């Protein structure tokens, strides 16, 4: 049995504490009124005067462009009844309000990006685990307890997600989702948005909240069931009845997972840009989270193996995980590019705004993400020998994980904070906070069960798993042939 | 002149063959060749054959294909005759790059795959009308054959090979 070391526990608490402080600082620094923002903007303006002074036309043109691709906020409503005389003044007010909402969104978005990233990664570990059961794959059986332990993180992140969902939809504490603005669906309101109103059969606050909670319940129910029954499998000795039950439930879960994952990506990510839509999006989010999930499995496996906590795992298992990391990195790139290229090629304005917003204001993360998620892993993990060298996999994995964090960042931020984005204390704090929770839940869950799933009929095969061209370190050549 | 006799030892099971190869290697005899009707997992390791470098060649062929595609799209679409086709930006290669990616991808795969296969044929000396080299037709059906060059040690080798479970041992002239 594995012992959750006190050092690691301290580290996780420290991360949670530092992260919580970072998140708190983010909320503390967010402006509380439009006046604050105006003051801040006048400070900024005075530092480069020539930008705004006497260039009303320029300001209007520039802001109009920004407004059209952010496609959020109440700003465009005010735009409609602007007279020619007071144009400059009222526009500046509108702009200040716009920036105010963006700055208010920033701590929420910082929290949301990390929350979604960790929730998604944990969820995809669960889905990958279910797929391994359904495929009756033998190689991964010795990794089952690692994957189960990682899914323990699903519980706290789901709870935080429910809190964030309720604070957005019921309590109206944040403006991340523009369509939750009062009057969006009311034709007599200045905030009326006909396009969103046309979709109100799907995006409406009660429906969204209920759906979100149902997704989380389904995922957590499966995790709770499979963890309990996987441990029961160890000692069941009932002619594989428990094993078969776990198989059947996993088939059912995968079916529900594919549906809920797709709808989750519409509700939680695409819902941030309610004027934009894409059919590929569910798959794209899936690919991004799946490659991160496999990397996380590889990381936890490599760490636990280095602590001698995983007796059955050999270099071939690491090699297979790295192969999956490599393959799904390419798969992610395929979907990313398919989505980008189809929209770029046809250049239909209502679709293109999405990428215009990202390309104009997020050029560095947007392009760096492709290098980190595609070019780097493809060159590093192409060689078969490198895939079984743990430190190589770790280096590749760190870049992949950072790359997919940036991916989620670029999915969320342009819709909520627009040009006001920055990777600072709130973002970093949220990342550390969820990392701390992850370390604590995962390793305490791993310490609670036998690291070898004894009752699994494929266990022997998994322990002798050997990829043909891998020379295992620390084993004689006679161990396999 | 050195004698050009070889021993042909026949086996009828791949597991027995694998153990025989290890036993013969352990006695430091050189194994000239092993003929099998199907790939025997681990035979190359047991014989101590060097790993193949075919994958490395494929990587470089792929890079060649990619370079070719980049050169071709740039020359044709940007340099030679930059037309406005449906508003696509043909001012520079990079601006119009997404449209070229499918070609770049396919040519990379095309070059990597085909040139690697041709390399394989050349290195393995396989071509149409090539005379077959199998010393005994049974090796394409259900027998395995180990070929060992003889250096005045026929008796010693025969005893060793009998012990390893060979079903038939012949000493033949090699031309």
């Amino acid at each position: 049995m594995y012992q959750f070391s006190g050092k690691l526990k301290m580290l996780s608490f420290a991360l949670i504490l530092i992260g919580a402080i970072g998140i708190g600082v983010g909320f503390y620094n967010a402006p509380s009124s439009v006046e604050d923002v105006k003051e801040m903007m006048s400070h900024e303006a005075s530092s480069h005067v020539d930008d705004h002074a006497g260039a009303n036309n320029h300001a209007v043109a520039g802001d109009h462009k920004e407004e059209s691709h952010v496609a959020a906020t109440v700003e465009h409503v005010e735009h409609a009844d602007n007279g020619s005389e007071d144009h400059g003044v009222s526009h500046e007010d509108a702009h200040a309000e716009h920036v105010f909402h963006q700055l208010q969104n920033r701590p929420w978005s910082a929290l949301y990006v990390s929350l979604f990233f960790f929730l998604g990664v944990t969820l995809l570990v669960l889905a990958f685990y279910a797929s391994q059961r359904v495929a009756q794959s033998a190689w991964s059986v010795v990794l089952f307890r690692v994957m189960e332990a990682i899914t323990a993180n699903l519980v706290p992140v789901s709870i935080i997600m429910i809190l964030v969902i309720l604070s957005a939809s019921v309590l109206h504490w944040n403006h991340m989702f523009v369509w939750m603005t009062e009057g969006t669906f009311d034709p007599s309101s200045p905030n009326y948005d006909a396009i969103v109103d046309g979709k109100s059969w799907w995006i409406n606050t009660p429906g969204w909240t209920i759906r979100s909670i149902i997704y989380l319940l389904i995922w957590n129910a499966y995790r709770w069931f499979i963890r309990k029954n996987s441990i029961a499998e160890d000692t069941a000795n009932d002619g594989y009845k428990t094993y078969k039950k776990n198989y059947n439930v996993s088939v059912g879960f995968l079916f529900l997972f594919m549906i809920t994952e797709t709808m989750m990506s519409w509700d939680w990510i695409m819902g941030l840009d309610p004027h934009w839509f894409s059919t590929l999006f569910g798959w794209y989010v899936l690919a991004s989270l799946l490659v991160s999930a496999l990397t996380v499995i590889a990381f936890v496996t490599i760490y636990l193996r280095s602590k001698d906590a995983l007796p059955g795992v050999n270099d071939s298992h690491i090699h297979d995980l790295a192969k999956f990391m490599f393959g799904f990195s390419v798969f992610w790139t395929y979907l990313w590019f398919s989505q980008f290229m189809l929209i770029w090629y046809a250049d239909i304005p209502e679709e293109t705004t999405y990428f215009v917003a990202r390309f104009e204001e997020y050029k560095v993360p947007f392009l760096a993400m492709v290098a980190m998620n595609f070019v780097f892993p493809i060159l590093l993990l192409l060689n078969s020998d490198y895939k079984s060298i743990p430190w190589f996999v770790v280096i590749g994995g760190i870049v992949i994980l950072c790359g997919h964090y940036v991916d989620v960042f670029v999915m969320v931020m342009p819709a909520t904070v627009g040009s006001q984005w920055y990777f600072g204390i709130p973002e970093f704090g949220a990342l550390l906070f969820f990392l701390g929770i992850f370390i604590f839940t995962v390793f305490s869950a791993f310490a609670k069960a036998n690291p070898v799933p004894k009752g699994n009929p494929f266990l022997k095969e998994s322990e002798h798993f050997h990829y043909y061209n891998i020379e295992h370190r620390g084993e004689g050549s006679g161990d396999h042939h | 002149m050195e004698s050009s006799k070889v021993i042909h030892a026949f086996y009828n099971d791949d597991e027995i063959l694998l153990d025989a190869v290890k036993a013969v290697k352990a006695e430091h005899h050189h194994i000239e060749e092993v003929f099998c009707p199907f790939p025997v997992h681990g035979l190359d390791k047991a014989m101590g054959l060097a790993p193949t470098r075919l994958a490395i060649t494929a990587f470089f062929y792929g890079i060649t294909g990619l370079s070719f595609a980049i050169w071709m799209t740039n020359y044709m679409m940007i340099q030679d005759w930059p037309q406005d086709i449906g508003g696509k930006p043909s001012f520079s290669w990079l601006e119009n790059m997404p449209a070229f990616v499918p070609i770049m991808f396919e040519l990379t795969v095309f070059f990597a795959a085909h040139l690697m296969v041709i390399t394989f044929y050349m290195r393995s000396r396989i071509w149409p009308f090539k005379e077959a080299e199998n010393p005994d037709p049974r090796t394409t059906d259900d027998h395995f054959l180990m070929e060992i060059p003889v250096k005045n040690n026929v008796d010693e080798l025969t005893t060793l090979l009998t012990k390893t479970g060979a079903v038939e041992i012949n000493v033949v002239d090699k031309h």
Side-chain angles (χ1 to χ4, degrees), chain A residues 19-20 22-24 26-27 105-119 157 160-161 163-165 167 174 176 405 408-409 412-413 425-431 433-434 437:
Chain A
I23 294 171
F27 279 102
N105 271 339
R106 196 183 148 202
W108 283 102
S109 306
L111 180 75
Y112 192 71
V113 169
S114 288
L115 173 59
F116 182 80
F117 183 64
F118 276 88
L119 171 60
V157 287
I160 298 171
M161 190 70 185
L163 294 178
V164 170
I165 285 166
S167 60
N174 62 58
M176 279 194 297
Y405 171 82
V408 177
F409 190 87
V412 172
M413 288 293 185
I425 293 171
E427 287 80 8
F428 199 60
L431 205 53
F433 179 72
F434 287 106
I437 293 180

Side-chain angles (χ1 to χ4, degrees), chain A residues 337 341 344-345 382 468 471, chain B residues 45 59 88 96 98 101-102:
Chain A
F337 183 72
M341 198 261 251
W344 173 86
Y345 215 114
L382 189 62
Y468 75 97
E471 290 292 349
Chain B
K45 282 245 166 75
F59 179 72
K88 285 274 161 300
N96 212 0
V101 167

Side-chain angles (χ1 to χ4, degrees), chain A residues 143-313:
Chain A
L143 302 175
F144 271 14
R145 286 291 137 81
V146 176
M147 296 187 224
E148 284 168 18
I150 294 171
T151 62
N153 187 45
L154 194 61
V155 180
V157 287
S158 296
I159 293 168
I160 298 171
M161 190 70 185
I162 286 181
L163 294 178
V164 170
I165 285 166
L166 292 179
S167 60
S169 63
V170 179
L171 302 167
H172 298 295
W173 280 352
N174 62 58
H175 302 90
M176 279 194 297
F177 295 87
V178 258
W179 53 269
M180 286 178 191
T181 313
E182 199 119 338
T184 305
F185 306 116
D186 175 10
S188 64
S189 162
N191 289 340
Y192 180 65
D193 188 328
I195 296 173
V196 181
D197 193 26
K199 302 176 181 181
S200 60
W201 61 276
W202 180 266
I203 24 178
N204 54 76
T205 314
W208 183 83
T209 313
I210 293 165
R211 280 196 306 273
S212 300
I213 291 171
I214 289 175
Y215 310 148
L216 291 167
L217 284 180
I218 289 174
W219 303 335
N220 278 285
Y222 173 71
R223 192 211 85 83
W224 176 80
F225 174 88
I226 203 72
R227 169 72 169 173
K228 196 178 63 134
N229 273 284
S230 174
I231 290 170
E233 215 175 84
D234 285 3
T235 49
N237 218 354
D238 54 0
Y240 297 123
K241 237 188 216 140
T242 315
Y243 173 79
K244 282 174 191 158
K245 189 160 76 178
N246 290 345
Y247 173 91
N248 290 334
V249 173
S250 300
V251 172
F253 170 72
L254 280 183
F255 174 73
L256 288 175
F257 166 77
M258 286 314 298
I259 295 171
T260 51
E261 193 276 336
T262 309
M263 298 206 298
M264 168 274 273
S265 71
W266 301 340
D267 278 339
W268 294 351
I269 301 289
M270 211 153 70
L272 294 163
D273 287 287
H275 286 189
W276 182 78
F277 51 87
S278 159
T279 43
L280 197 63
F281 205 69
W283 282 105
Y284 173 63
V285 173
L286 178 94
S288 188
L289 298 175
L290 180 53
V291 61
S292 313
L294 285 155
T295 309
V296 167
I297 296 173
F299 275 15
V300 178
T301 305
I302 287 169
Y303 173 78
L304 288 172
R305 191 167 77 127
S306 74
K307 299 280 168 207
D308 290 325
L310 286 170
V313 174

